[in-house]
Each structure stands twice: as structure tokens, then as C-alpha cells.
Amino acid sequence: MTTGQVTLVAVLAIPAVGAVAVAGLTRRADRAARIVATVVAAIAFLVSLSLYGTGDRGWFRYQAATAGPGILPWHELDLTWVPGLDLRFHLGVDGISYPLVVLTTLLTLLCCAYSIRHVPAGGPGGYLVALLLVIEVGIVGTFLALDLVLFFVFFEVVLLPMFVVIAGWGGEDRRRAARKFVLYTLFGSVLLLVGVVTVVSAAGTADIVALTGGGNLSRTTQLAAFVLLAVAFAVKSPLWPLHTWLPDAHTQAPTVGSVILAGVLLKMGTYGIIRVAVGVAPEGARWAAPVLGVLAVAAVVVGSLVCLRQTDLKRLIAYSSVGHMGFVLLGVATLTATGIEAALIGNVAHGVITGLLFFLAGAIKDRLHTGSLTELGGLRERMPALSGLFAFAAVASLGLPGLAGFWGEAFAVVAALQRGGPLWTALAVVAAVGGALTAAYFLRLLRRLTHGPASPVVAAAPASRFGAGELVAWSPLIVLALAVGLVPALVIGFAGAPVEALTGVLDR
């Protein structure tokens, strides 16, 4: 095996083995288990970084293999998995998946580090971080899988541990939220399984590389497969109108659960639309593009309007994700290189910024024991540093130029305009209005949360400083929100060649 192939296996094996070790250690020494989990997550993060620089493909020098149309992996591992069914353990990484793999390992590391000193009520913290490592295996595996059946397996690995995280360490209504999460995602899983079976039975292979560009699938099969796959991924993203599980899950989940949910778990859906639904069924994507565009813009507007009425901090941030994922879907729906690159940077920016927002919302709730905006006015009077960081994250999320949230939203609108025609021009205009509504609800949030006289709850709160765990968890996200905003090539600089290859398939 080459160094790159070993790295592909290691980035999955390290957290998997670490999860087992941490779970075993928790019974004897819970705090030590959380420290071990953080070390394991740090190693996995460093290994994920090396996926790009391993071998003779030095940093920022792209040398693509010619594995197939639309798939240009830097490293690829293809082993026999189930010989009787011709299933293969096929992994690969390219410029589309690499930023998401790194984002996943980074957020898992930050959540484990945060959990060393911040364990929510519900059970030993060691079990919580062990579950986070299992979730990391599932999410990273989803981004690396180049076999449809393997993709489905990794996609489903995430379901049970996330259910346990919400139900075990969440808020007062955690069990209902966890059940709702499971019911919705199981519905999506059934559709995904049917879509995978449809494609594999018709094409005679589960190899995503061979299937990219449609393989030998008929137009009818591609249309049916795209509908099944797109709806399945829309549930996970979640995209309007299949989003209603998300606010409950976010509101009840512990802080680290919300960070993982918003930061990377939602990206499994949007990544699946790009890599699997669009890649495997391009004719279906072209046929459904106008519908996807309309649904995307509806998500932007509806999400923003709902946020304007929210009075709970975490619930508002959760609904904001619906709007941000709408911009991501709009970029994908254009089926252009500009649009897909906007979707990719929008994915990463949302993971960084919304992860930071949920960390900060958790800090506010820990200190003030409430998330109600009616009780949190005047935060800057009592906690100016925390108020300032929250304002930074909020303006990053609303798309202020110079911060990470700007590029995905702005260029999704640009891509719709470039697509041309009355429909796409109208969608671009409405999406731009939705962007203005995004600014409106975040500015309203800051006015209610940070400005004005301190509310009784805020005024009575004791003065507090940032803990070491909080600084460790927040600092990388603050830096990335600024760095990606100033240098978007940190994300889309990797994706140029594979996106061109994918759009070349779509243009056929």
C-alpha cells in the first residue's frame, strides 16, 4: 500500500479504535478518558491534513489521477469487500471531499477538547466523546467512500450515536427531539437505500467512479434515481420543507452535539447531492434543476422569516441553517462551476461559523441558564467579551464581506444570474432579498441580545472569564472565519479541477 492509501485507512481507523479505548477507560477514569479522546481526535486531525500533502503531490500542487469522469482523486484505495456481491472497500479523496474531511476532524477535536471541562448532565463524559469519535468515523467515511453501498453504510453509522447523544445528554425535551431526528432520518435512509438499489441493479456496479456521468443508466432510471437520492439527502441537509426535525434536535442537543450537527452532519446531505445525486444521475439533475432552484430560494426566504419570529437563541441559529443550506442548494441547482464552488465554500463556511455560534450559545446558556431572548438583553453590559465574539460570529453568518459567510451566498446568486433566463434571474433576485432578510434577523438578534440595558437575568449573573477549554474550542473557528473570508482559495483552491470535471460531465 502507498503512503496515501495508508493515510486513507488511518483517518478512519484511528477514531474507531480510539472510541473503543475511550469507552473502556471511562468506567475507571472518566476525565482521563476525555483527555485520551482529545489526543485521538488530534491525531486524526493531523492525519487528515496529510491527505493532501502525502506522497509526491506536495502542498498546493494538484496532480490528478485519471480514475474516471468527474472523479479525480489524489489518493485512492480499492480493495475487495464482499466478493460474492462484487462490493468493494473503495475510498478516495479529492478537492471536493478534502475540505469537508478536515472540517470534520477539526470540529471533532474541538468538541472533545471542550468536553474535558464541560460535560452536560446525562452521563459520563467519556461515553459522550466516544460517541463523537464514532460519529466522526461515519461522517469522514461518507466523504471518502467511492462505492455506493459503502457510502450508504457510512451514512447510516452516524444515526444511532447521534440519537444517543441527543437523548442522553440533551435538554428537558431531549427524548422527543431524538425520536423525531431518528424518524426523519430513517425516512431519508429508506429513500437512499431504494435509490442505491435502483442504481446498482440497473448499472451492475456500485462504483461511484464508474457511475459518475450516468454510466450506462437510461434516462428514465436517472430521473427516478435522482428523485430518490435528492429527497434522501434533502432530509439530512435538511432542506425546506423537510427541515422540521432540525430546530428541535439543535435546541435539545448538548453544545457539542449541536456543533457536530450543524458543522458537519448536515454537510453529508449537500455533499451527497453533489457527489452522488448529481454525479451519478446528471440527466436527472438537469431535469430537476429548476425545481431545486425554487425550493432553494424558498428555503432562504422561509428560514429568514421564521428567524425573525424566534425568541430562543439556539432555535434561531438552527433555523438560520435552513436558509444557509438554501444558498448551498441554489449553487448546486445552477449546475455550473461557479455555483458548485459556491456550494462547497458555503458548506465549509457554514460549518465553521455555525459551529462557533453554537459554542457561544452554549456558553451563554451555561452562564445564564436560559436561552430565551426575552431574558438575555444587554449582554454587553455584563459580559462584553462574550458579547463581542457573538457579534463577530453573527456578522460572519449574515455574509459580511471579508468573512467566510460572504462567498457562498454571493456567488450562489452570481451563478443563478450567469445561468440566465427569466426563472434563474428571478431566483437570483429573491435569493438576494433573502440575504437581506438574513442580515435583518441577525441584526435584530444582536439588538435584543447584546444592546440596551442589562435584563434582570444578565444583571444578576456573576462575572465570568473564558475557560481554557472554551478558548481552545473557539479560537480556531474565529481564525478560520476570518481566513476563509480573506483567502477563499483555502477552500475552493482545492476544488477547481474536480468541479470542472464534474461540470464537464453535466455539459455532455
Side-chain angles (χ1 to χ4, degrees):
M1 293 177 67
T2 66
T3 304
Q5 291 172 332
V6 171
T7 307
L8 285 171
V9 174
V11 79
L12 295 172
I14 290 170
V17 174
V20 175
V22 168
L25 182 60
T26 298
R27 295 184 179 181
R28 300 190 299 274
D30 182 45
R31 181 177 173 82
R34 283 177 270 144
I35 294 173
V36 170
T38 303
V39 173
V40 169
I43 296 171
F45 171 63
L46 294 175
V47 171
S48 71
L49 286 176
S50 71
L51 277 172
Y52 188 80
T54 303
D56 59 358
R57 296 177 173 87
W59 288 97
F60 298 103
R61 284 191 295 125
Y62 182 86
Q63 295 182 3
T66 55
I71 305 286
L72 305 171
W74 300 331
H75 307 294
E76 188 175 8
L77 174 68
D78 190 2
L79 302 174
T80 300
W81 180 24
V82 184
L85 299 176
D86 194 28
L87 300 180
R88 308 193 66 80
F89 190 78
H90 192 182
L91 304 175
V93 62
D94 66 358
I96 293 176
S97 57
Y98 176 73
L100 294 172
V101 171
V102 173
L103 178 65
T104 303
T105 57
L106 173 63
L107 287 180
T108 305
L109 168 59
L110 299 183
C111 287
C112 289
Y114 182 83
S115 298
I116 293 177
R117 294 193 178 186
H118 299 82
V119 180
Y127 292 132
L128 174 60
V129 292
L131 289 169
L132 294 181
L133 292 175
V134 175
I135 292 170
E136 178 182 9
V137 174
I139 297 175
V140 171
T142 299
F143 295 147
L144 295 181
L146 291 180
D147 180 278
L148 275 179
V149 176
L150 184 64
F151 178 94
F152 176 79
V153 170
F154 279 124
F155 200 87
E156 295 308 303
V157 163
V158 176
L159 176 60
L160 183 58
M162 183 54 73
F163 167 81
V164 176
V165 167
I166 298 171
W169 286 270
E172 294 180 358
D173 201 20
R174 59 187 181 274
R175 289 184 174 83
R176 184 188 65 84
R179 286 195 298 269
K180 192 172 183 179
F181 164 76
V182 166
L183 288 175
Y184 268 78
T185 50
L186 278 178
F187 167 70
S189 298
V190 170
L191 293 179
L192 177 58
L193 179 59
V194 175
V196 168
V197 170
T198 299
V199 171
V200 174
S201 60
T205 180
D207 190 349
I208 295 176
V209 173
L211 289 167
T212 297
N216 59 354
L217 297 176
S218 67
R219 184 175 188 275
T220 301
T221 302
Q222 288 193 42
L223 298 186
F226 184 85
V227 171
L228 291 167
L229 295 170
V231 174
F233 293 133
V235 172
K236 183 73 77 173
S237 295
L239 298 170
W240 183 86
L242 302 172
H243 66 286
T244 54
W245 65 266
L246 181 67
D248 291 331
H250 269 315
T251 303
Q252 298 301 321
T255 296
V256 293
S258 294
V259 171
I260 294 297
L261 261 173
V264 285
L265 190 142
L266 306 187
K267 311 305 175 288
M268 296 168 63
T270 49
Y271 173 83
I273 292 175
I274 296 171
R275 175 71 84 199
V276 179
V278 172
V280 171
E283 288 196 47
R286 288 191 290 269
W287 168 74
V291 176
L292 292 181
V294 171
L295 291 175
V297 171
V300 172
V301 175
V302 172
S304 298
L305 293 175
V306 172
C307 283
L308 284 169
R309 300 293 298 168
Q310 287 303 309
T311 58
D312 182 87
L313 180 57
K314 288 186 72 175
R315 201 169 183 86
L316 186 151
I317 299 171
Y319 270 111
S320 75
S321 294
V322 176
H324 290 309
M325 291 298 99
F327 278 108
V328 171
L329 180 61
L330 177 61
V332 176
T334 65
L335 302 180
T336 64
T338 300
I340 292 176
E341 289 187 357
L344 295 175
I345 195 170
N347 261 340
V348 174
H350 177 264
V352 169
I353 297 168
T354 308
L356 177 60
L357 280 170
F358 275 114
F359 268 132
L360 296 171
I364 292 171
K365 195 166 185 178
D366 288 344
R367 287 162 170 79
L368 302 174
H369 310 292
T370 180
S372 174
L373 294 178
T374 59
E375 302 178 36
L376 292 177
L379 189 65
R380 69 174 183 173
E381 299 297 326
R382 191 66 176 166
M383 302 175 185
L386 182 57
S387 175
L389 285 180
F390 194 92
F392 170 83
V395 297
S397 189
L398 65 82
L400 185 72
L403 297 175
F406 169 74
W407 298 105
E409 296 184 6
F411 280 92
V413 174
V414 169
L417 288 173
Q418 289 178 342
R419 182 73 187 265
L423 173 63
W424 291 102
T425 301
L427 292 178
V429 171
V430 177
V433 173
L437 290 174
T438 301
Y441 71 72
F442 268 117
L443 293 175
R444 169 184 172 273
L445 169 63
L446 292 177
R447 180 179 62 81
R448 298 189 65 175
L449 180 66
T450 66
H451 288 64
S455 68
V457 172
V458 174
S464 62
R465 296 181 177 180
F466 299 150
E470 291 174 328
L471 290 175
V472 168
W474 303 345
S475 297
L477 300 180
I478 294 169
V479 172
L480 280 173
L482 182 59
V484 173
L486 295 175
V487 189
L490 290 173
V491 176
I492 57 176
F494 301 113
V499 167
E500 287 181 10
L502 180 60
T503 52
V505 166
L506 292 168
D507 291 337
R508 292 178 182 176

